[in-house]
Amino acid sequence: MNNPKRYTITTALPYTNGPIHIGHLAGVYVPADIYARYLRLIGKDVVLIGGSDEHGVPITIKAKNEGVTPKDIVDKYHSIIKKSFEDFGISFDNYSRTTAKIHHETASEFFKTLYQKDAFIEETTEQLYDEKVHQFLADRFVVGTCPKCGNEEAYGDQCENCGTSLNATDLINPKSALTGNVPTLKETKHWFLPLDQHEGFLKEWILKGHKKDWKPNVYGQCKSWIDDGLRPRAVTRDLDWGIPVPVEGGEGKVLYVWFDAPIGYISSTKEWAEKTGKDWEPYWKSEDTKLVHFIGKDNIVFHCIIFPAMLRAEGSFILPDNVPANEFLNLEGNKLSTSKNWAVWLHEYLEEFPDQQDVLRYALTANAPETKDNDFTWKDFQARNNSELVAIFGNFINRVAVLTHKYYNGVIPEASEFTEVDEQTLAAIKAYPDVIASSIERYRFREAQQELMNLARLGNKYLADAEPWKIIKEDEVRTQTIMYVALQIAAALGTLSEPFLPFTSAKLKDILNFESLPSALDWEAISKEDILLPTGHTIGKATLLFSKIEDKSIQEQLDKLEANKKANEAANKQGTPQKDTISFEDFSKLDLRVGTILEAEKMPKTKKLLKLKVDTGLDVRTIVSGIAESFSVEEVIGKRVTVLVNLAPRALRGVESQGMILMTETAEGQLVFVNPDDDVTPNGLQIS
């Protein structure tokens, strides 16, 4: 859309079942904030909308696990999440929540409007049901094997391994997440959005209309879905936590979370309008409004196919102009995982790196997963800070401020004759706003930030080449011109850095005393004005914008991650699932005997195997066991053990093993012998 009158920018609603981590920030919220801040700087009418998704099944699971109510969970994490966004400068015009009264009213009215327009189909279908707890299983209460990729931990709505959107009944070997039971099928009535009826429109609107302007990963996923053929999708569920279905026959049912959550963008905008005395409708219903959804790739289908179908069925809303979804961010080579505690939590980051929000924003943007999954590492974070923010951006500003005070008591000197290099530098400053803007408007935020850093590099190189600290000894007039030009670069950085580094921008504007300038230095002024900081203007004292991050701090983060990983593994260690039931006759075939290890030696050319001589009471036989990494030769000699004596012999590394020693493993992964309790139990005693 060319030159829209206003912009409505939405961000994915995070589930309030836990705090926010860097994956959320990199994938959705920093890109959206960069975009909104830039648009405000060029004078656009912008509303940046967000909120907490408080009706998801993960919330009820969390509440059940902690023995509290869902409301307790959402109240706790909504507060944590909202504060994290504020702390990192995500400039929401309104951050709401889906438990708010205005949202319940908006979502209910939306449903009723579609219901009255016969936009739904009503069907009685078979849904998965847990007989043990007498409950229909919402999608997140079902786990099983993904039919697409074989992941054995897929949920009933989506496989987080391959990203495929699923129905619970699609899963292979589904099990209840509540009890572990195999669910049964039971009839229940629900309302469905018939996506197949919107297929022709979606083909025209997406596959033809947005082939050139949507990101390839977004367009490709939409095309795959449409090419596979769209099917009706339920908009209600049998649950007691959510927005009650507001029509006859909806008793005991709620609006499905994927249906009510995107309506949260509309209700949050209404809430904002009430607070500010504005009319919300133009931001959602006017054709000269540009609607942009910022999401992660796991939400593409909902925002590009399902929500647009809902909006079109309602009839009065505009559709998104773009959905610049990002891919996923990994952490130290592994997928970010809330459940496995493999994450960097924003509230914890600020405790350990106080006042360094912009460092994380910068590192995440520099490594943003815009076109493919990307990896955050603490070493890269350190390098970005020390080698770029400190050594380039911070170094340039510090030099300029220090020298201006040293030579001119903080007053901008008067420039005289410009050299060719001076003129080229001043012209380059004017070009940067358009270069950065072009990247931002194409949702290439990583590229845009690189251009911002190139302006800082230009300043560093200009000062290094001009060497005012040397020139002042022989040519004070020339030195004044050099410092004047350098200060114009610093002023441009003060404004152009705001979308990316808002806290740094504020500090820099304070150093350069922007408040005392005769007119605001907005985005347009950088490219049009010849003078950004006029002669005679006084700047403040130099303060460090960034500080070096030492190896010790980084190692502490790596150690913390590893400790979290081990602690989580131990806490969540579960017994191996029961194997298939066997008959007594099958069990009676096993011959288990008490034995004693008489001799032991390491097997050559292997780290894991020990060659044992074992007295089974029947004979003394050789058994090869993979326990060498857990036990020394000395530790096992004389050990009482349980032996499976009638296992078929097997050659291991050229040695025939004539049985098996029974072992188990602790939660920490430590091997343990399954020993007879009584040391006087004779060898050869049969175990039954």
Side-chain angles (χ1 to χ4, degrees):
M1 181 185 295
N2 294 322
N3 198 29
K5 187 173 181 179
R6 66 189 68 77
Y7 291 78
T8 301
I9 305 169
T10 74
T11 60
L13 308 184
Y15 279 134
T16 44
N17 67 327
I20 291 293
H21 58 59
I22 58 171
H24 301 118
L25 207 61
V28 177
Y29 304 102
V30 167
D33 187 59
I34 291 172
Y35 189 62
R37 285 178 179 272
Y38 156 73
L39 291 172
R40 295 188 192 110
L41 282 169
I42 63 172
K44 298 297 183 180
D45 181 1
V46 178
V47 59
L48 177 59
I49 292 297
S52 296
D53 181 355
E54 300 185 335
H55 292 141
V57 171
I59 292 157
T60 59
I61 293 175
K62 184 85 169 181
K64 183 178 283 289
N65 289 341
E66 294 190 8
V68 297
T69 67
K71 187 177 186 306
D72 292 331
I73 293 295
V74 300
D75 287 347
K76 173 183 176 180
Y77 288 110
H78 171 75
S79 176
I80 292 173
I81 291 168
K82 189 170 185 286
K83 186 175 188 306
S84 290
F85 286 142
E86 291 168 354
D87 288 342
F88 277 86
I90 308 302
S91 55
F92 286 116
D93 291 286
N94 198 63
Y95 189 81
S96 189
R97 54 195 306 190
T98 59
T99 55
K101 181 182 177 184
I102 194 170
H103 175 68
H104 275 238
E105 292 171 349
T106 302
S108 295
E109 285 303 314
F110 198 102
F111 181 90
K112 285 191 284 188
T113 299
L114 267 59
Y115 179 81
Q116 290 161 4
K117 289 188 172 189
D118 293 324
F120 299 131
I121 56 176
E122 187 178 319
E123 289 187 4
T124 298
T125 61
E126 289 187 323
Q127 300 281 336
L128 294 176
Y129 186 83
D130 191 327
E131 299 282 357
K132 187 173 182 179
V133 291
H134 308 292
Q135 182 176 328
F136 281 100
L137 296 174
D139 293 340
R140 286 268 160 168
F141 282 135
V142 186
V143 291
T145 301
C146 173
K148 294 280 187 179
C149 71
N151 171 31
E152 295 181 355
E153 297 180 353
Y155 291 112
D157 61 346
Q158 187 173 43
C159 174
E160 295 188 348
N161 183 58
C162 67
T164 299
S165 185
L166 301 166
N167 289 312
T169 50
D170 295 334
L171 293 175
I172 301 167
N173 299 324
K175 290 188 178 180
S176 167
L178 297 176
T179 64
N181 283 4
V182 175
T184 59
L185 288 170
K186 186 174 181 179
E187 286 191 346
T188 183
K189 182 182 73 174
H190 284 292
W191 287 269
F192 290 74
L193 181 66
L195 292 176
D196 50 319
Q197 295 179 17
H198 299 272
E199 194 169 300
F201 152 71
L202 291 166
K203 282 182 178 178
E204 184 71 24
W205 177 60
I206 300 175
L207 302 189
K208 290 185 180 179
H210 288 294
K211 186 173 184 178
K212 294 182 179 179
D213 63 331
W214 282 12
K215 292 171 69 172
N217 60 318
V218 177
Y219 182 87
Q221 192 175 135
C222 291
K223 186 176 187 305
S224 176
W225 255 67
I226 294 170
D227 287 348
D228 282 348
L230 300 177
R231 293 175 291 279
R233 195 166 181 96
V235 299
T236 59
R237 269 293 182 260
D238 293 289
L239 287 171
D240 56 5
W241 176 251
I243 299 173
V245 174
V247 297
E248 186 178 349
E251 297 79 12
K253 302 179 190 297
V254 299
L255 301 184
Y256 201 173
V257 66
W258 68 256
F259 182 87
D260 101 71
I263 298 171
Y265 302 143
I266 301 169
S267 61
S268 184
T269 308
K270 285 184 177 181
E271 191 175 74
W272 163 78
E274 287 183 1
K275 292 176 182 176
T276 57
K278 294 192 175 185
D279 181 5
W280 71 271
E281 290 202 0
Y283 292 86
W284 278 96
K285 298 187 176 184
S286 175
E287 290 298 330
D288 54 9
T289 296
K290 184 172 182 175
L291 173 62
V292 182
H293 297 309
F294 282 86
I295 58 169
K297 69 176 178 181
D298 52 335
N299 273 320
I300 288 173
V301 168
F302 298 104
H303 288 75
C304 297
I305 293 178
I306 299 174
F307 190 41
M310 291 164 53
L311 296 174
R312 182 171 179 268
E314 196 278 345
S316 66
F317 287 85
I318 59 173
L319 300 181
D321 183 82
N322 214 314
V323 185
N326 274 350
E327 299 293 291
F328 289 154
L329 185 74
N330 296 326
L331 172 60
E332 298 289 348
N334 294 310
K335 287 187 176 183
L336 281 157
S337 173
T338 299
S339 62
K340 296 178 181 177
N341 206 17
W342 190 255
V344 177
W345 306 107
L346 300 193
H347 64 293
E348 291 183 0
Y349 170 88
L350 282 182
E351 292 172 2
E352 288 146 6
F353 295 93
D355 300 321
Q356 296 191 66
Q357 298 97 318
D358 279 351
V359 179
L360 187 58
R361 284 179 63 122
Y362 180 82
L364 293 176
T365 302
N367 219 11
E370 292 180 349
T371 56
K372 62 182 179 64
D373 289 358
N374 228 336
D375 197 35
F376 175 90
T377 70
W378 280 109
K379 289 292 186 183
D380 179 74
F381 166 84
Q382 180 187 28
R384 297 278 184 191
N385 179 77
N386 294 352
S387 302
E388 297 175 20
L389 292 176
V390 173
I392 299 171
F393 196 121
N395 180 60
F396 169 67
I397 296 300
N398 190 60
R399 277 180 164 184
V400 169
V402 168
L403 292 177
T404 302
H405 274 274
K406 182 177 181 180
Y407 299 154
Y408 314 114
N409 294 319
V411 179
I412 309 296
E414 183 176 359
S416 53
E417 184 177 351
F418 291 126
T419 66
E420 183 179 352
V421 171
D422 297 337
E423 290 176 346
Q424 288 174 349
T425 302
L426 292 170
I429 295 172
K430 289 187 173 185
Y432 270 100
D434 285 345
V435 171
I436 295 171
S438 174
S439 296
I440 290 176
E441 290 177 0
R442 288 176 292 138
Y443 311 104
R444 297 180 178 179
F445 305 108
R446 187 169 59 195
E447 180 180 275
Q449 183 174 265
Q450 287 172 352
E451 293 297 342
L452 171 72
M453 190 54 65
N454 285 340
L455 176 57
R457 288 188 175 94
L458 174 71
N460 246 347
K461 186 176 188 307
Y462 177 79
L463 271 188
D465 291 347
E467 297 182 313
W469 46 86
K470 291 184 179 179
I471 297 296
I472 195 168
K473 297 174 184 177
E474 54 195 55
D475 192 340
E476 292 188 7
V477 174
R478 173 62 189 149
T479 303
Q480 288 179 347
T481 303
I482 293 170
M483 292 306 302
Y484 175 88
V485 172
L487 283 157
Q488 306 311 304
I489 300 172
L493 284 170
T495 295
L496 298 181
S497 65
E498 183 179 331
F500 310 93
L501 308 168
F503 299 94
T504 303
S505 172
K507 290 178 186 176
L508 180 49
K509 288 175 181 177
D510 188 54
I511 292 171
L512 299 178
N513 197 15
F514 268 36
E515 284 190 0
S516 298
L517 292 172
S519 59
L521 259 186
D522 60 18
W523 200 275
E524 187 178 18
I526 306 299
S527 58
K528 290 190 174 181
E529 300 295 332
D530 290 329
I531 300 172
L532 303 180
L533 291 181
T535 297
H537 175 76
T538 302
I539 68 170
K541 293 279 189 180
T543 58
L544 291 178
L545 297 179
F546 306 100
S547 57
K548 188 177 180 183
I549 295 174
E550 301 296 340
D551 291 345
K552 180 184 176 183
S553 297
I554 297 303
Q555 190 58 50
E556 286 173 356
Q557 293 303 315
L558 294 172
D559 292 345
K560 179 182 174 183
L561 268 180
E562 190 60 30
N564 285 349
K565 184 178 180 181
K566 288 181 178 178
N568 191 67
E569 286 174 351
N572 291 285
K573 188 79 173 181
Q574 296 181 349
T576 304
Q578 178 179 303
K579 297 180 180 179
D580 293 340
T581 302
I582 62 172
S583 67
F584 179 78
E585 288 73 21
D586 289 331
F587 173 74
S588 65
K589 294 177 182 178
L590 300 177
D591 192 346
L592 300 171
R593 305 275 179 153
V594 176
T596 302
I597 299 175
L598 304 178
E599 299 177 16
E601 61 179 285
K602 286 187 176 180
M603 292 275 286
K605 299 181 181 180
T606 176
K607 293 181 179 180
K608 295 184 177 182
L609 300 180
L610 288 183
K611 180 182 175 183
L612 310 173
K613 289 287 186 182
V614 183
D615 181 354
T616 68
L618 303 175
D619 53 25
V620 175
R621 62 178 65 186
T622 299
I623 296 177
V624 178
S625 183
I627 60 174
E629 291 182 313
S630 298
F631 300 97
S632 67
V633 167
E634 292 75 18
E635 284 179 292
V636 300
I637 294 176
K639 181 74 70 175
R640 306 297 306 288
V641 293
T642 301
V643 188
L644 178 60
V645 295
N646 65 334
L647 185 67
R650 181 183 178 192
L652 295 172
R653 298 276 179 162
V655 177
E656 186 176 72
S657 181
Q658 300 170 308
M660 179 181 289
I661 307 291
L662 268 60
M663 310 290 296
T664 189
E665 188 178 63
T666 67
E668 293 75 29
Q670 177 67 43
L671 286 177
V672 177
F673 285 97
V674 179
N675 288 6
D677 286 336
D678 189 349
D679 285 344
V680 300
T681 304
N683 290 342
L685 196 67
Q686 194 167 24
I687 298 171
S688 60

